[in-house]
Amino acid sequence: MHSLTGKDFMAINDFTREELLLIMETTRELKLEAKRGIYQPILKGKSLGLIFDQPSTRTRISFELGFQQLGGYSLYLKPGELHLGKKESIKDTARVLSRYLDGIMIRWNNFEEMKELAEYADIPVINAMSDVNHPCQALADVYTIIERFGNVEGLNVSFFGDRSHPTLSLAMFCSKLGINYTHCAPKKYQIEKKWTDQYEENCKKFGGSFRQTEDIDEGTKNAHVVYSDVWWWLGQEGEVNERAKAFAPYQVTNQLLDKCDKDVIFMHCLPATRGVEVTDAVMDGPRAAIYDEAENRMHTEKAVLSLIMS
Ligand code: CP
């Protein structure tokens, strides 16, 4: 029996394959109950602080309402609202918040600072996206893949575009489940060795494979899932022209999807830049699983919250 009580949720690789599968199974149960209108107050009376240093649609709403569905009370702390890391040390903020709250969800660009907060907090801390990972997104992504395909071992997931924090976490989760993962992008934008070493180590243990290629035909071959993400992030505005040119061949179009497995689905963590990394026709087409993926953010997060905070 695996107990996750009291654990932080900071990175996919902090969890065993069995623990991650427990989160997937708990998600299945909670989603089934929610569809029947059943909301068990597993976290009745508990409080969760939601700290953001950037805007959010999915993360803010899914955590806030998801926690309420579990019977708890959540507190939205918008960017710039806390002294955290500016007028007050991370250590002091962590210790003070631990006296008020039962858990912290934090979106914070600097992962090292987020880890410091988790180290000094006496309560579970959940990473809701940093500069190097987005583990909550990976949970929803993999859950969506499981829902669509059932047994995921041997599936081929191909990502087209810039290495991004959501996809670094997705590749990690795939490497723990025996899923074959291909990152298809110009060499300059491929994933660094410090991450790929971890993926390859997991693949050795759990089956599956990880590879990177510039070749779109190699990326599309037998792909069951095509994933894309934005081509530039906040702070990369000066690189827009260079990136747009480099990634143009990797735009996800219906023609690109036609080269994949006949049952291919398209995924994107959203927000998407329609007409840039993906066309409107794909976003609005029958192969897009993007809204299921967004909905599953709430079910998977409820699973994590119920496992670590109950
Ligand atoms: N995918 C995701 O994290 O979306 P938000 O930025 O809207 O939270």
Side-chain angles (χ1 to χ4, degrees):
M1 188 67 188
H2 304 273
S3 171
L4 302 187
T5 306
K7 272 193 92 159
D8 296 321
F9 187 75
M10 297 297 283
I12 291 292
N13 225 21
D14 294 344
F15 292 81
T16 64
R17 175 189 159 98
E18 288 68 30
E19 287 170 336
L20 293 166
L21 290 174
L22 174 66
I23 296 171
M24 297 289 98
E25 175 53 23
T26 307
T27 300
R28 194 186 67 77
E29 289 163 12
L30 289 172
K31 183 169 181 179
L32 207 62
E33 286 185 356
K35 294 293 173 192
R36 292 180 183 146
I38 301 166
Y39 300 101
Q40 296 198 50
I42 302 164
L43 299 180
K44 189 164 188 245
K46 302 250 181 186
S47 57
L48 179 73
L50 310 174
I51 302 173
F52 287 87
D53 70 348
Q54 298 155 48
S56 159
T57 298
R58 280 143 289 273
T59 305
R60 188 258 164 107
I61 295 171
S62 58
F63 264 104
E64 182 153 355
L65 294 181
F67 198 66
Q68 287 173 20
Q69 286 179 10
L70 292 168
Y73 177 79
S74 53
L75 194 65
Y76 173 56
L77 299 157
K78 64 177 187 274
E81 205 157 77
L82 296 182
H83 295 306
L84 179 60
K86 295 191 179 89
K87 209 172 158 189
E88 185 168 58
S89 69
I90 292 169
K91 187 194 288 192
D92 286 341
T93 302
R95 286 173 174 163
V96 170
L97 291 184
S98 300
R99 302 289 178 106
Y100 298 137
L101 300 165
D102 298 299
I104 296 170
M105 181 238 78
I106 178 165
R107 169 168 289 189
W108 199 255
N109 191 47
N110 187 324
F111 188 52
E112 291 307 313
E113 291 181 0
M114 192 194 282
K115 280 200 294 192
E116 191 182 339
L117 182 87
E119 185 188 335
Y120 288 103
D122 300 328
I123 53 180
V125 175
I126 298 171
N127 173 358
M129 194 171 92
S130 78
D131 53 342
V132 295
N133 53 17
H134 195 353
C136 291
Q137 183 65 50
L139 293 181
D141 295 343
V142 168
Y143 189 76
T144 306
I145 297 171
I146 292 171
E147 265 187 334
R148 293 291 180 119
F149 294 98
N151 183 11
V152 294
E153 256 172 64
L155 278 186
N156 303 315
V157 172
S158 289
F159 175 81
F160 289 81
D162 191 21
R163 62 175 174 265
S164 61
H165 21 295
T167 55
L168 293 176
S169 294
L170 175 60
M172 190 69 81
F173 201 168
C174 288
S175 73
K176 293 201 143 193
L177 293 182
I179 296 175
N180 305 311
Y181 193 96
T182 302
H183 182 93
C184 193
K187 266 235 151 19
K188 180 173 175 187
Y189 300 101
Q190 292 185 359
I191 303 173
E192 299 96 330
K193 195 172 175 321
K194 66 178 173 182
W195 302 111
T196 62
D197 281 352
Q198 293 180 48
Y199 304 152
E200 279 158 12
E201 198 178 310
N202 286 339
C203 288
K204 270 191 211 138
K205 260 194 242 164
F206 303 114
S209 61
F210 175 82
R211 67 177 173 170
Q212 305 207 74
T213 179
E214 291 189 298
D215 184 345
I216 288 156
D217 287 336
E218 217 179 304
T220 51
K221 194 171 175 199
N222 301 324
H224 301 101
V225 176
V226 164
Y227 202 113
S228 184
D229 200 353
V230 296
W231 288 347
W232 49 82
W233 296 82
L234 277 179
Q236 293 175 335
E237 292 80 3
E239 299 173 36
V240 166
N241 290 342
E242 183 194 343
R243 285 172 167 264
K245 198 169 157 206
F247 289 121
Y250 300 87
Q251 185 189 52
V252 178
T253 61
N254 272 326
Q255 290 71 29
L256 185 143
L257 294 182
D258 288 343
K259 295 174 168 199
C260 303
D261 184 86
K262 67 174 177 33
D263 295 323
V264 68
I265 60 169
F266 170 71
M267 299 181 72
H268 192 303
C269 63
L270 306 179
T273 330
R274 284 170 172 256
V276 179
E277 72 269 12
V278 55
T279 60
D280 274 324
V282 169
M283 290 287 285
D284 298 326
R287 295 185 277 201
I290 50 178
Y291 305 119
D292 285 352
E293 189 183 353
E295 179 190 328
N296 285 334
R297 286 292 305 274
M298 185 189 263
H299 304 299
T300 46
E301 286 156 8
K302 282 171 66 182
V304 171
L305 289 164
S306 66
L307 287 165
I308 69 175
M309 288 182 69
S310 61

